[in-house]
């Protein structure tokens, strides 16, 4: 199961992505926001990141205006690898090299068409493992050193 969240800057793209996921019959829980009114992106990043860390969802999607605030917020959670992507190459690498468990996009940066394509690319890609796993292990070691776990 996936979880998705956005602020007002990502609301429109979130709606398009939910439609795409439903058409592909991919189970996804929408954690809001539920309209175009101004909200604070860290609140929604926290909801999605908490669900992923708790194992309630296998992965998450976050969208704000630029994607920057959502990625900064989500990456505060130990165990989260949130990747801000802009094109098919970064969406593919986010899975293959970084095994990103949250995909982040900018709703004011990407069209609905491109945004949904990036979600599809990330979902269909596979983590390459090997030397990339060693690097993820080093990220986990940094989290442990910082007493975040
Ligand atoms: C909200 O206006 C905007 O700051 C937010 O969506 C996001 O772009 C923050 O990084």
């Amino acid at each position: 199961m996936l979880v998705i969240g956005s602020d007002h800057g990502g609301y429109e793209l979130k709606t398009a992505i939910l439609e795409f996921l439903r058409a592909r019959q991919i189970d996804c829980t929408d954690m809001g926001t539920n309209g175009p009114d101004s909200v604070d992106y860290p609140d929604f990043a926290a909801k999605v990141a908490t669900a992923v860390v708790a194992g309630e969802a296998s992965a998450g999607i976050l969208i704000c205006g630029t994607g920057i605030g959502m990625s900064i917020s989500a990456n505060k959670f130990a165990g989260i690898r949130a990747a801000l992507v802009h094109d098919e190459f970064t969406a593919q690498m986010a899975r293959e090299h970084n095994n990103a468990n949250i995909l982040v996009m900018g709703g004011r940066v990407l069209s609905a068409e491109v945004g949904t394509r990036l979600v599809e690319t990330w979902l269909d890609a596979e983590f390459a493992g090997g030397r990339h796993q060693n690097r993820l292990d080093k990220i986990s070691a940094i989290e442990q050193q910082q007493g975040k776990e």
Side-chain angles (χ1 to χ4, degrees):
M1 204 248 315
L2 297 178
V3 277
I4 190 167
S6 77
D7 72 355
H8 51 290
Y11 174 68
E12 214 177 299
L13 181 55
K14 175 166 69 70
T15 305
I17 286 166
L18 277 165
E19 225 170 83
F20 161 78
L21 293 172
R22 278 189 204 113
R24 267 193 60 167
Q25 297 184 320
I26 295 169
D27 191 18
C28 184
T29 299
D30 182 5
M31 304 202 123
T33 188
N34 300 317
D37 294 346
S38 182
V39 291
D40 299 329
Y41 58 81
D43 297 337
F44 297 89
K47 285 182 196 200
V48 166
T50 301
V52 173
V53 169
E56 291 160 14
S58 55
I61 299 170
L62 282 168
I63 310 163
C64 61
T66 58
I68 296 171
M70 284 297 196
S71 51
I72 292 171
S73 305
N75 279 314
K76 296 293 178 195
F77 288 75
I80 291 298
R81 293 178 303 279
L84 173 56
V85 301
H86 293 104
D87 49 33
E88 287 191 55
F89 178 70
T90 49
Q92 178 99 16
M93 288 302 109
R95 176 68 77 194
E96 277 187 27
H97 285 194
N98 311 109
N99 203 16
N101 50 12
I102 296 186
L103 190 77
V104 189
M105 293 177 293
R108 294 174 181 158
V109 179
L110 304 174
S111 66
E113 193 198 337
V114 172
T116 49
R117 205 178 323 130
L118 301 194
V119 170
E120 188 171 34
T121 300
W122 172 67
L123 288 174
D124 291 346
E126 278 182 31
F127 179 48
R131 67 184 188 281
H132 302 293
Q133 183 58 56
N134 295 342
R135 292 161 187 166
L136 299 192
D137 291 344
K138 290 190 177 191
I139 295 173
S140 301
I142 292 169
E143 285 175 341
Q144 278 173 345
Q145 277 162 19
Q146 298 212 328
K148 282 188 180 170
E149 269 195 357

